[in-house]
């Protein structure tokens, strides 16, 4: 059916009023589904569908559905029930088919799904060829409906004699009488007017609708726009009517102040430009192909059909000649009227669309868009305040630099925006930094000498970044620029080195990079950054082992410093290969790489274990004398699969490794080496492992030897001490070294069978009753006793012993607590701090052993009394919060030469963390935390994170008790202030004096209460605080009133917590405050600070201010300096003053009238980042909405 006959049919079948959406026309036709004339074949398969037009001029799909009416159910005959006839039923009982015609608009066709989009475009093109005015009106209605506008669209023909007067008709306003919005704009040859209700403008509109249906609709909408171009580019696209109307309509909608219209039309315009760029690039490619074929054909001059073929090629060449120019004109017009005004839109979503599509245009149609006049927009938007816009720009540039042809044309662009791209490696969004680093790597591959040495050093440091994709990208850059294979010199040069030698050279280069770079000393981060970028280097165990085993003076020999770094790299790589995860503190990306196949990872781990089972004894033997090098090597066994000793017959290598461990224990007395050896023995002695049978006897023999050497030395020592004699330095040194070895092994092995507890207890008892022992001996004895008690607790937990054994264990535990308590006052700082840490750890263990009962593990339950708690608190104040450390505080920057001070600081942080752990786990009373909170601001630089975490954990345990501890801390500080400085009400003292630090601490405490469920804690603080502030001092009645209420100034501190009281409850809090005011309060003069007035104003909301009363100031400083304040004036932003650095950041900028700049034009570089060219500014200002002199209802614009 033709389009014209279809419209006639639609008018004939349509019912009365209403639009053309849900009209139903019922027609009775003959049986068999034939046409009205009774002829034709019977249709099968799909439902017959026709494209018609309703009275509103919209496209509809006429879908015919045949339904049965009048046929008797069950197929019974009319002659009587129960009888059935075979064959065809009589004519009067045949089914009567009813054709139901449902009208579907273009919007509904697109919403149906992907398959219907192609049909909708084809039918619309067919209709356009028949009646283009109605088809264009249908297309305009479709775009307006996609904007979420359910109002009315009217059109009036543009009269050419109106001239410039028509510009004043282009407006957008709100009619308060009708409650409708009007938008009038020119879409040649019509002046379109859209009307819609006010309440619908900010509601749902299709392309941002939630759920999978509207997400598919957005995809179908974009596909419809692109298919519209692809279906018409060979027929009606360049007829001078279609695109002019579409461009006018889209430019009118994109300049709307209503966000839904602007967003949808911008998306349509950008997708339309993408389709045009794709089509034109295809045409240009076809033209070049035809020209090349024509030239080849003219050279070959084939016989026979040569003349006919030449004519075809020439005809095809002429067909492609004019089309690109016409489409280029359309692209330029659409670009200037839609993209230029909207790429700097106030909405980041629209800017993202513009930048994303601009990247597609440059990639699809480089002949036009790969030019500085278009690339400048990408460079400008690198300064955008929204991260998604910057990401789109980086991705667009990355896609261009991936191809060498396009990268070679971007030299000037990168020269202009090089500084900005380098600075984006420090962007706040980690995803942008990683993409920017990959972009810089691509740039370095295409251009020689584009970066200086200092710039490369700046980029290389990001291999230590906390974000793993960023570190991996920096690792790839290091591999390309630093670890690349050296070029071959000359034609007669030597043969290139093989892969092994090249890896050796790269490993040396990597070591030198780590040593010479002034970066962080974090080898695991460096290894993880190169883990995916250079797997052949950091996972090459043979190469690293060969370098370490190279003899002194060899060709590939390393220096001592290089060997130490290589050992750290080796151990970090072994750990990562075993655990399969990055080091602690490094964050994975949102799209983390898929984990390596389990079989492959198991195979790599087995190969690594097999290699180090053979190489580890040689490494330990070579570096046995250097404790700094051998200590990390001893960590390798815990990351290896020890089953390879049994499966591969490597038992001899296990014996060699155990022998080396035995030699290391006897050779070294350093605690770090001994503990590493003990852990290595523990790995080999693991029950169930293949190395257990050989390692356990070797470990037992070593411990027997140590205990056998210690016993006679202790007997001789105690005997000499009783006689008043002294052992020589040699014997005392052997006792200390043996105790140190046993303490190290006790930390990893259960040595209870050797009964070391009795020997250690005798030493500690001898110290208390007989005389003094060397500090080192007591230190090791305390450590061994602590480990012995822990192993006994573990044994009792695994298997409950008899009650007598539990009582004996409890006595031992209490005796050890008493010993540690005595050593807290020891003159040796090392010994007292060790006793403090051991005592806190043991108290934490004993307080969680079970309920306080007289049977079972409850016998071991123990909590410290008040005296012990005070002693621990005093120790923390004296040994952790040092005055000189707090004075240096935040201004101190530690360097490498301050290693001893840093070690001391870490030790003090450890002691504070151990003590705070007792508070968090309710071992100590929560009121003890008040004395710790006093140092929160004074020592914030060193201990602020630990104290803040303590506040958070205690608040999670009990909000009310935590609030009381905060209040107690403030009361103690206030009392100290009053005792030191006395009572005074001078405003300067409360603002600039020592009292201000208390108020500032209270402000910090108020922030720690949280945002949710803080009302109960805030009310409790206010009630208890008021009781403390109004408490009277026992002074005679004739004394001054200020002496009777010494804590009245505490109301200034309490006012800092008023913000945590919900606004709806502040009136009740104010009433409670007024009821709590006692009689006989002092009277304050004009020059005094009135705490009651300040506290009252902190509770009064602005809504409760009575008429004629000034708005209160919550801050006392505001109350004093109120007269000197001046109102702040906000700068008015306009479109003409926009630069990439000052993008509009508030919606008010879109509501204000846009006044274009009328300044003098100046010639400037198109790549200048600080301005827009005068031509673009003029074009953009002309395309802005003219809202001058129009009253818009408040809240109408987005």
């Amino acid at each position: 059916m033709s389009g014209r006959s279809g419209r006639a049919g639609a008018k004939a079948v349509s019912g009365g009023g209403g639009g053309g959406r849900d009209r139903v026309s019922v027609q009775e036709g003959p049986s068999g589904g034939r046409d009205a004339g009774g002829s034709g074949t019977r249709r099968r398969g799909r439902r017959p569908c026709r494209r018609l037009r309703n009275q509103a001029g919209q496209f509809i799909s006429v879908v015919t559905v045949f339904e049965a009416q009048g046929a008797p159910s069950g197929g019974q005959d009319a002659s009587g029930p129960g009888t059935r006839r075979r064959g065809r039923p009589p004519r009067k009982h045949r089914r009567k088919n009813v054709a139901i015609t449902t009208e579907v608009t273009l919007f509904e066709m697109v919403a149906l799904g992907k398959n219907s989009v192609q049909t909708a475009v084809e039918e619309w093109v067919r209709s356009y060829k028949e009646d283009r005015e109605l088809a264009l009106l249908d297309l305009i209605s479709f775009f307006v409906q996609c904007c979420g506008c359910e109002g009315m669209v009217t059109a009036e023909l543009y009269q050419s004699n109106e001239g410039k007067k028509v510009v004043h008709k282009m407006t957008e306003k709100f009619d308060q009488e009708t409650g409708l919005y009007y938008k009038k704009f020119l879409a040649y040859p019509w002046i379109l007017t859209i009307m819609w209700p006010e309440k619908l403008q900010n509601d749902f509109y299709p392309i941002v609708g939630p759920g999978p249906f509207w997400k598919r609709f957005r995809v179908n909408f974009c596909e419809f726009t692109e298919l519209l171009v692809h279906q018409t580019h060979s027929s009606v696209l360049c007829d001078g009517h279609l695109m002019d109307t579409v461009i006018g309509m889209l430019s009118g909608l994109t300049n709307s102040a209503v966000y839904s219209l602007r967003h949808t039309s911008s998306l349509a315009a950008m997708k339309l430009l993408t389709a045009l760029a794709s089509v034109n690039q295809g045409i240009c490619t076809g033209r070049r192909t035809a020209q090349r074929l024509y030239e080849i054909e003219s050279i070959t001059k084939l016989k026979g059909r040569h003349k006919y073929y030449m004519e075809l090629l020439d005809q095809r060449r002429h067909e492609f000649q004019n089309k690109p120019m016409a489409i280029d004109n359309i692209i330029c017009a659409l670009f200037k009227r839609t993209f230029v005004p909207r790429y700097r839109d106030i909405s980041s979503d629209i800017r993202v669309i513009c930048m994303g599509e601009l990247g597609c245009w440059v990639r699809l149609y480089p002949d036009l868009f790969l030019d500085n006049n278009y690339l400048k927009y990408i460079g400008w938007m690198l300064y955008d305040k929204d991260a998604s816009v910057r990401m789109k720009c980086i991705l667009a540039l990355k896609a261009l630099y991936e191809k060498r042809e396009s990268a070679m044309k971007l030299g000037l662009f990168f020269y202009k925006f090089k500084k900005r791209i380098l600075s984006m490696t420090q962007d706040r969004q980690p995803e942008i930094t990683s993409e920017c680093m990959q972009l810089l790597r691509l740039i370095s591959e295409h251009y020689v000498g584009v970066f200086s040495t200092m710039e490369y050093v700046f980029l290389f440091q990001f291999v230590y970044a906390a974000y793993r994709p960023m570190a991996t990208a920096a690792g790839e850059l290091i591999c390309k620029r630093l670890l690349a294979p050296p070029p071959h010199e000359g034609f007669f040069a030597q043969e290139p080195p093989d892969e092994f030698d090249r890896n050796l050279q790269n490993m040396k280069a990597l070591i030198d990079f780590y040593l010479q770079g002034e970066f962080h000393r974090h080898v695991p981060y460096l290894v993880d950054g190169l883990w995916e970028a250079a797997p052949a280097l950091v996972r090459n165990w043979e190469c690293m082992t060969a370098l370490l085993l190279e003899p002194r003076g060899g060709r590939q020999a390393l220096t001592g410093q290089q060997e130490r770094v290589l050992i750290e790299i080796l151990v970090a790589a072994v750990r990562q290969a075993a655990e399969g995860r990055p080091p602690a503190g490094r964050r994975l990306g949102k799209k983390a790489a898929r984990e390596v196949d389990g079989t492959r990872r198991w195979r790599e781990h087995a190969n690594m274990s097999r290699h180090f089972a053979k190489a580890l004894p040689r490494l330990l033997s070579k570096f046995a004398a250097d404790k700094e090098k051998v200590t990390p090597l001893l960590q390798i066994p815990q990351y290896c699969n020890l089953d390879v000793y049994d499966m591969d017959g490597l038992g001899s290598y296990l014996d060699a490794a155990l022998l080396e461990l035995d030699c290391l224990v006897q050779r070294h007395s350093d605690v770090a080496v001994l503990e590493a050896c003990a852990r290595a023995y523990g790995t080999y002695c693991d029950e169930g492992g293949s190395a257990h049978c050989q390692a356990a006897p070797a470990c037992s023999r070593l411990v027997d030897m140590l205990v056998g050497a210690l016993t006679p030395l202790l007997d001789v020592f105690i005997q000499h001490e009783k006689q008043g004699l002294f052992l020589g330095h040699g014997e005392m040194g052997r006792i200390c070294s043996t105790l140190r070895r046993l303490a190290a092994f006790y930390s990893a092995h259960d040595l209870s069978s050797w009964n070391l507890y009795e020997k250690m207890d005798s030493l500690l008892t001898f110290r208390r009753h007989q005389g003094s022992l060397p500090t080192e001996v007591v230190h090791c004895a305390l450590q061994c006793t602590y480990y012995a008690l822990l192993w006994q607790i573990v044994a009792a937990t695994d298997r409950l012993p008899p009650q007598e054994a539990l009582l004996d264990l409890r006595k031992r535990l209490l005796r050890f607590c008493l010993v540690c308590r005595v050593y807290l006052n020891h003159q040796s700082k090392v010994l007292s701090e060790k006793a403090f840490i051991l005592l806190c750890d043991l108290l934490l263990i004993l307080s969680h052993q079970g309920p306080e009962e007289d049977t079972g593990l409850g016998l071991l339950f123990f909590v410290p009394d008040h005296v012990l708690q005070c002693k621990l608190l005093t120790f923390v104040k004296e040994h952790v919060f040092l005055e000189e450390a707090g004075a240096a505080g935040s201004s101190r920057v530690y360097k490498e030469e301050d290693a001893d001070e840093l070690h001391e600081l870490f030790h003090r942080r450890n002691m504070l963390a151990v003590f705070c752990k007792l508070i968090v786990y309710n071992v100590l009373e929560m009121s003890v935390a008040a004395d710790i909170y006093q140092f929160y601001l004074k020592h914030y630089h060193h201990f602020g994170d630990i104290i803040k975490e303590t506040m958070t954990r205690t608040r999670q345990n009990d909000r009310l008790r935590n609030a009381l501890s905060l209040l107690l801390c403030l009361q103690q500080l206030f009392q100290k202030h009053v005792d030191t400085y006395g009572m005074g009400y001078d405003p300067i003292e409360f603002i600039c004096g020592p009292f201000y630090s208390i108020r500032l601490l209270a402000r910090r405490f108020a922030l720690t209460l949280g945002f949710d469920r803080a009302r109960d804690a805030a009310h409790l603080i206010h009630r208890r605080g008021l009781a403390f502030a109004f408490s009277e001092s026992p002074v005679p009645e004739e004394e001054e009133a200020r002496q009777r209420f010494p804590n009245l100034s505490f109301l200034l501190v309490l006012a800092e917590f008023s913000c945590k009281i919900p606004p709806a409850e502040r009136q009740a809090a104010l009433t409670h405050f007024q009821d709590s005011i006692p009689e006989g309060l002092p009277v304050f003069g004009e020059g005094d600070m009135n705490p009651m007035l300040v506290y009252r104003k902190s509770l009064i909301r602005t809504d409760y201010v009575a008429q004629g009363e000034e708005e209160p100031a919550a801050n006392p400083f505001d109350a004093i300096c109120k007269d000197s304040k001046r109102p702040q004036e906000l700068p008015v932003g306009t479109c003409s003053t926009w630069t990439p650095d000052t993008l509009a950041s508030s919606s008010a900028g879109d509501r204000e009238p846009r006044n274009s700049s009328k300044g003098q034009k100046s010639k400037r570089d198109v790549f200048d980042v600080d301005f827009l060219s005068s031509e673009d500014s003029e074009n953009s200002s002309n395309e802005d909405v003219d809202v001058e002199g129009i009253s818009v209802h408040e809240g109408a614009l987005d």
Side-chain angles (χ1 to χ4, degrees), residues 767 774-776 778-780 782-783 816-841 868 871-872 874-876 878-880 904 907-908 911 914:
R767 159 68 181 86
T775 302
E776 183 68 21
V778 179
H779 186 279
C780 295
L782 283 173
Q783 193 76 46
F816 181 74
C817 291
L818 180 61
V819 170
C820 291
R821 183 173 176 178
V822 171
Y823 278 107
L824 287 178
N825 299 324
H826 197 273
Q827 59 183 358
S828 174
K829 181 181 178 182
V830 176
L831 200 57
S832 61
E833 291 178 353
K834 188 64 177 180
F836 174 79
I837 293 177
L838 294 180
L839 179 58
C840 290
D841 287 343
L868 181 56
K871 200 163 189 177
L872 292 175
T874 304
F875 183 89
V876 171
E878 294 177 354
H879 290 77
V880 175
E904 178 66 22
H907 190 63
R908 289 191 286 126
M911 289 191 293
V914 170

Side-chain angles (χ1 to χ4, degrees), residues 760-997:
M760 301 301 107
D761 185 64
S762 64
L763 275 177
L764 297 177
T765 306
F766 176 82
R767 159 68 181 86
R768 285 194 301 166
H769 298 303
Q770 299 295 332
S772 61
L773 287 176
T775 302
E776 183 68 21
V777 174
V778 179
H779 186 279
C780 295
L782 283 173
Q783 193 76 46
C784 290
T785 307
Y786 173 72
Y787 287 136
L789 293 175
L790 287 188
W791 283 111
Q792 293 180 30
I793 293 175
V794 171
T797 305
D798 295 340
R799 185 176 180 180
L800 188 64
Q803 188 170 0
E804 293 78 8
L806 287 174
L807 290 174
D808 182 61
L809 178 58
R810 177 180 175 83
K811 292 180 181 179
R812 294 181 177 182
L813 292 170
L814 295 179
R815 186 186 305 131
F816 181 74
C817 291
L818 180 61
V819 170
C820 291
R821 183 173 176 178
V822 171
Y823 278 107
L824 287 178
N825 299 324
H826 197 273
Q827 59 183 358
S828 174
K829 181 181 178 182
V830 176
L831 200 57
S832 61
E833 291 178 353
K834 188 64 177 180
F836 174 79
I837 293 177
L838 294 180
L839 179 58
C840 290
D841 287 343
L842 192 60
L843 289 175
L844 183 63
I845 295 172
L846 296 180
S847 63
H848 290 76
Q849 285 304 313
E852 193 172 0
E853 300 175 352
D854 294 336
T855 59
L857 292 177
L859 293 173
L860 304 180
F861 182 80
F862 174 75
V863 291
D865 54 4
H866 181 70
V867 177
L868 181 56
Q869 292 185 25
C870 294
K871 200 163 189 177
L872 292 175
L873 179 61
T874 304
F875 183 89
V876 171
K877 290 181 178 180
E878 294 177 354
H879 290 77
V880 175
F881 301 107
L882 304 179
E883 292 296 331
E884 59 271 13
S890 58
S891 61
R892 177 67 182 276
V893 178
Y894 291 96
K895 300 180 180 180
E896 292 186 0
E897 54 268 19
D898 302 328
D900 295 336
E901 297 185 24
L902 277 175
H903 178 74
E904 178 66 22
L905 175 61
F906 293 154
H907 190 63
R908 289 191 286 126
R909 283 174 57 87
N910 185 30
M911 289 191 293
L912 178 61
V914 170
F915 181 78
C916 291
K917 199 182 298 182
L918 297 179
I919 300 174
V920 170
Y921 289 100
N922 298 322
V923 180
L924 303 180
E925 297 177 0
M926 198 172 292
S927 58
V928 178
D931 296 85
I932 302 298
Y933 296 160
Q934 296 178 9
F935 303 95
Y936 181 54
L937 290 182
K938 187 176 182 180
H939 297 268
Y940 183 81
H941 185 67
H942 292 157
F943 311 108
D945 56 338
I946 300 177
I947 299 176
K948 185 176 182 180
E949 184 66 18
T950 305
M951 294 181 188
T952 304
R953 296 291 187 91
T954 52
R955 186 180 73 248
Q956 294 173 357
N957 294 339
D958 193 331
R959 288 180 175 272
L960 298 183
R961 292 175 59 195
N962 172 65
L964 290 178
S965 64
L966 297 178
L967 181 61
L968 178 61
C969 172
L970 296 174
Q971 290 174 354
Q972 292 175 354
L973 289 175
F974 178 81
Q975 198 63 45
K976 290 180 182 179
H977 175 78
V978 172
D979 296 342
T980 305
Y981 300 98
M983 293 178 296
Y985 295 93
D986 187 5
I988 304 300
E989 294 182 2
F990 293 123
I991 296 173
C992 304
F995 189 79
Y996 179 74
S997 61

